[in-house]
């Protein structure tokens, strides 16, 4: 990874290179912005490189509907494992959702995660890996792990394309990003 004068961070995964723009985040300073939505070439390269990171025995992938969704979809497509998505807003069609607060977010806003009841049932009795684009503090990953347990599943591990900063979670990841620039 390099940081040119243009305030972008260069990352390469497989044979795909991207310039990640940096954005100001609260009092943290500037951080690199990873975007999978709308960049299928980068998403596919990252998913392919992440395949060996899927914990052995994993039966289901779990992600949150944001930037990590295309990544989880590509991982699912390549690994043959199904995936389940948690939402950040309640939807009217949800049946008996599991609700989990995320106390502190890297971006400075607290959120609530919603796992639809029928989707929670898909985790019951299964070994579930949490998939994220970037894990920084680990707050969202821990909230997803709590949902796995509440749904009756067992956490098989955490995996992320990028790790940023210090987290006590054992995260399998491709690359580390600087905590701030």
């Amino acid at each position: 990874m390099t940081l040119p004068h243009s305030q972008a961070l260069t990352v390469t995964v497989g044979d795909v290179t991207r310039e990640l723009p940096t954005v100001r985040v609260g009092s943290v300073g500037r951080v690199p912005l990873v975007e999978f939505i709308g960049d299928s070439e980068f998403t596919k390269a990252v998913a392919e490189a992440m395949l060996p990171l899927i914990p052995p025995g994993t039966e289901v992938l779990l992600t949150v509907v944001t930037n990590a969704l295309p990544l989880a979809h590509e991982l699912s497509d390549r690994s043959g494992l199904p995936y389940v998505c948690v939402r950040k807003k309640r939807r009217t069609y949800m049946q008996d959702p599991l609700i989990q607060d995320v106390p502190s977010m890297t971006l400075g806003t607290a959120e609530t995660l919603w796992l639809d009841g029928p989707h929670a049932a898909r985790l019951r009795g299964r070994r579930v890996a949490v998939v994220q684009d970037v894990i920084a503090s680990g707050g969202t990953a821990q909230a997803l792990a709590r949902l796995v347990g509440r749904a009756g599943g067992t956490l098989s591990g955490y995996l992320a394309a990028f790790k940023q900063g210090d987290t006590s979670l054992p995260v399998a990841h491709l690359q580390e990003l600087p905590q701030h620039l």
Side-chain angles (χ1 to χ4, degrees):
M1 286 180 274
T2 60
L3 186 63
H5 296 296
S6 65
Q7 289 296 308
L9 183 72
T10 303
V11 296
T12 300
V13 177
D15 61 354
V16 177
T17 299
R18 287 294 179 266
E19 298 288 325
L20 304 180
T22 61
V23 294
R24 184 164 301 285
V25 178
S27 62
V28 173
R30 297 190 74 79
V31 298
L33 179 63
V34 176
E35 292 268 25
F36 289 116
I37 295 173
D39 190 345
S40 47
E41 180 186 36
F42 186 51
T43 304
K44 289 174 182 180
V46 170
E48 189 65 34
M50 286 179 68
L51 282 174
L53 302 181
I54 298 173
T58 294
E59 299 171 282
V60 179
L61 305 172
L62 179 68
T63 196
V64 64
V65 175
T66 55
N67 190 48
L69 179 57
L71 180 60
H73 180 88
E74 289 295 338
L75 274 171
S76 172
D77 195 41
R78 285 164 170 64
S79 68
L81 296 171
Y83 70 98
V84 171
C85 293
V86 172
R87 296 190 178 266
K88 291 185 176 184
K89 291 183 180 179
R90 181 180 174 105
R91 302 296 179 190
T92 56
Y93 57 78
M94 288 185 170
Q95 304 168 33
D96 299 318
L98 295 179
I99 304 163
Q100 184 66 54
D101 288 332
V102 181
S104 64
M105 299 289 290
T106 302
L107 300 180
T109 58
E111 293 187 312
T112 302
L113 301 179
W114 300 80
L115 178 59
D116 194 6
H119 295 178
R122 294 173 54 200
L123 304 181
R124 190 172 305 120
R126 312 290 292 279
R127 292 183 43 80
V128 181
V130 168
V131 177
Q132 289 192 267
D133 52 345
V134 178
I135 291 184
S137 67
T140 301
Q142 289 173 316
L144 290 168
R146 285 192 288 280
L147 283 171
V148 169
R150 292 177 56 208
T154 303
L155 182 70
S156 64
Y158 301 98
L159 60 149
F162 301 97
K163 180 178 174 267
Q164 184 175 32
D166 297 321
T167 179
S168 60
L169 297 179
V171 179
H173 60 282
L174 292 179
Q175 296 179 23
E176 294 221 16
L177 297 176
Q179 192 166 358
H180 54 83
L181 304 167

